[in-house]
Amino acid sequence: MVINRSPSPYPRRGGPSCLMIIVLIAVGIGIGFGFTNSDEIVQVIVPTVTPEPTRSAESFAFSAQLYNRDGDTEKAIEAYRFAIDLDPDASNYYIELINLLTIEGDAVEALNVAEQVSLIAPDDPDVLVAVAAAYLQNGERLAEIGERDDALNQYERAIQSAERAIGKNPNLAPAYALQAGALIQQDRDNFNRANELIDLAIALDSSNEVVHFYRGVVLETQGYYDRAIESYEMARQLNPAYLAASLAVAYSYFYTDNRQRAIVTLRDQIEETPNNASLQDALGWMYFLAGQYPEAEATLEKAVALDDSLVRAHAHLGAAYFKNFNYVFAIPSLETAVTAYEANRTEENPLTDSTSLYYNYLAFAYFRENPDWCFIAPNDEAFTAEELFNIVIDQMGPDGIRGENAKIGLEDCRKARIDAGG
């Protein structure tokens, strides 16, 4: 007989199955084992972190090359510093660092590094070239703040270092270019010898930005502005981070009446290098010369904030304040510049047409702020307005534009003295 039993609608009653009991017991044993051996389990599941091995000097140097390739000069400089810290005897790292510092326009730091590597590899021709570049740029920096004698010393050391490099390797094109640049800075009448050196440098290596830059310097000195611009532009094309080339070509454009292109060139470079005081100063001064005094003032304030030691930026900022009738602000900026120029003024290093302008501006600012400052030096300063005007006339002569302006100032002061009962 077949019995058809239908499934019960209710669940079966009774305790857990044997299988469930076995599983629960196993889990309990596992948990107990886990607590007892927790350290060992952690080590198996989460392995101990292994510290990253210390990076080598070569690794940092390779990173520096990549940063430099990508245009990040700041990080490249930092990476080379790390490489030098790890391997202080590797002269090639110093050379690359000096090259980057000179490209960036950091003359003081480039010279510091050059003096270090000179002790490590004094006869290496590549070291001697880098050292020559550092001396030359430092000389240009000193000349800008009026320290002409010290600048001449730096130019001479650049020439000697370049000559030594050529003596050890006559195929080093930058050595000839740097020597030409130093000779021109030393004395503009050295252009014949400078031309010979530049021609040789171009023949040896026409794809070197330093060679093209100093070719531009030599050409500009002789008044060949269009050809100089071509050389500066080639230097920039070969190395877009070459700030000296950007500054030089911008000034060349400006003084050949292509002012808008000059300003655009500097604006574009500032977008890439916003924290460079020399670029901001150049742009601000171009605004000033173009009569855009508010823009000049704002830009030159940035330059001084970036580098308070940049004397010409103080002079330019003071001039912008003066043109904006802000004599209270103009006076301290102009005093900073005039004090620096006066400290370095000698018979061999007289005032120039440019520097004498700031003496006149300061004297007129004194007069307009307080006519008594014509004959009483303000706040224990070194000069009265009358004395500043007389310095300009003595240095520039009475008949040039600076002298004529100074004579007008003296007449204003004479009237002020009469009004004061003097």
Side-chain angles (χ1 to χ4, degrees):
M1 181 176 67
V2 177
I3 301 174
N4 294 318
R5 182 181 293 173
S6 60
S8 170
Y10 303 103
R12 294 180 62 189
R13 291 183 174 88
S17 68
C18 291
L19 179 60
M20 179 63 71
I21 292 171
I22 292 169
V23 169
L24 290 173
I25 291 172
V27 169
I29 292 172
I31 291 171
F33 178 79
F35 281 114
T36 306
N37 302 279
S38 58
D39 291 340
E40 288 82 353
I41 290 173
V42 167
Q43 289 179 3
V44 171
I45 298 174
V46 184
T48 303
V49 176
T50 304
E52 182 182 351
T54 303
R55 287 186 64 182
S56 66
E58 292 86 350
S59 171
F60 279 112
F62 182 68
S63 294
Q65 292 170 9
L66 295 178
Y67 285 133
N68 189 35
R69 181 201 64 187
D70 296 338
D72 196 338
T73 310
E74 246 178 69
K75 286 185 178 178
I77 288 172
E78 183 182 17
Y80 275 124
R81 290 190 192 282
F82 283 128
I84 289 170
D85 286 342
L86 291 170
D87 190 356
D89 294 325
S91 61
N92 56 310
Y93 299 155
Y94 293 85
I95 292 169
E96 296 299 335
L97 179 56
I98 292 169
N99 290 338
L100 289 176
L101 289 168
T102 53
I103 288 295
E104 279 278 284
D106 193 342
V108 174
E109 187 56 24
L111 188 59
N112 288 338
V113 178
E115 289 173 346
Q116 294 173 38
V117 74
S118 293
L119 299 175
I120 297 168
D123 297 320
D124 185 323
D126 292 318
V127 167
L128 290 167
V129 169
V131 170
Y135 280 133
L136 176 51
Q137 192 170 85
N138 195 48
E140 291 165 348
R141 179 188 69 84
L142 291 167
E144 285 177 353
I145 60 175
E147 296 181 15
R148 181 63 180 169
D149 290 342
D150 290 338
L152 289 172
N153 175 266
Q154 295 291 286
Y155 297 146
E156 185 58 35
R157 298 185 76 170
I159 291 168
Q160 292 172 0
S161 188
E163 283 179 343
R164 288 184 60 204
I166 292 167
K168 295 179 181 301
N169 183 351
N171 296 316
L172 288 173
Y176 296 97
L178 292 165
Q179 192 175 6
L183 283 167
I184 282 291
Q185 297 291 6
Q186 199 176 53
D187 188 338
R188 297 172 72 88
D189 290 337
N190 287 334
F191 62 85
N192 284 328
R193 177 58 179 153
N195 277 329
E196 294 172 1
L197 291 165
I198 281 296
D199 288 344
L200 184 52
I202 287 286
L204 286 169
D205 187 354
S206 61
S207 62
N208 185 284
E209 66 269 24
V210 174
V211 169
H212 283 282
F213 173 71
Y214 283 106
R215 180 174 183 266
V217 171
V218 172
L219 289 168
E220 184 182 348
T221 302
Q222 299 170 75
Y224 300 127
Y225 298 109
D226 290 340
R227 293 175 62 195
I229 287 171
E230 290 176 4
S231 291
Y232 293 142
E233 288 287 19
M234 179 59 73
R236 294 179 71 217
Q237 183 179 327
L238 290 167
N239 189 342
Y242 203 162
L243 297 188
S246 293
L247 285 167
V249 77
Y251 276 116
S252 295
Y253 282 135
F254 193 88
Y255 291 120
T256 52
D257 293 327
N258 198 343
R259 294 187 170 188
Q260 189 56 40
R261 187 163 185 179
I263 288 172
V264 169
T265 297
L266 287 176
R267 282 176 177 167
D268 290 345
Q269 190 63 58
I270 286 171
E271 282 187 13
E272 297 296 323
T273 320
N275 296 322
N276 185 275
S278 292
L279 290 172
Q280 297 282 1
D281 171 64
L283 179 59
W285 189 235
M286 287 182 188
Y287 283 139
F288 178 92
L289 294 174
Q292 298 173 240
Y293 302 126
E295 292 87 349
E297 183 178 305
T299 306
L300 290 164
E301 283 176 340
K302 294 177 185 176
V304 170
L306 287 167
D307 186 354
D308 188 60
S309 68
L310 196 60
V311 173
R312 70 173 184 275
H314 283 282
H316 294 161
L317 178 58
Y321 283 140
F322 181 87
K323 285 293 189 178
N324 285 323
F325 308 104
N326 192 345
Y327 304 125
V328 173
F329 280 29
I331 286 170
S333 292
L334 291 168
E335 284 174 343
T336 297
V338 167
T339 298
Y341 296 136
E342 192 63 18
N344 294 285
R345 181 168 66 87
T346 63
E347 188 174 341
E348 294 76 25
N349 185 37
L351 292 186
T352 65
D353 184 72
S354 296
T355 54
S356 61
L357 173 68
Y358 310 121
Y359 283 66
N360 272 345
Y361 278 164
L362 179 57
F364 277 115
Y366 280 164
F367 167 74
R368 292 173 187 176
E369 187 62 23
N370 184 347
D372 289 346
W373 288 349
C374 274
F375 39 87
I376 299 172
N379 305 319
D380 298 322
E381 287 297 323
F383 299 106
T384 64
E386 285 182 336
E387 288 169 334
L388 289 167
F389 286 134
N390 280 318
I391 289 172
V392 173
I393 291 171
D394 176 68
Q395 291 282 292
M396 306 305 296
D399 299 327
I401 186 169
R402 303 292 181 237
E404 288 288 346
N405 288 336
K407 286 194 295 183
I408 292 171
L410 284 176
E411 180 62 20
D412 289 340
C413 282
R414 186 187 67 81
K415 293 175 182 177
R417 187 183 288 274
I418 292 172
D419 291 342

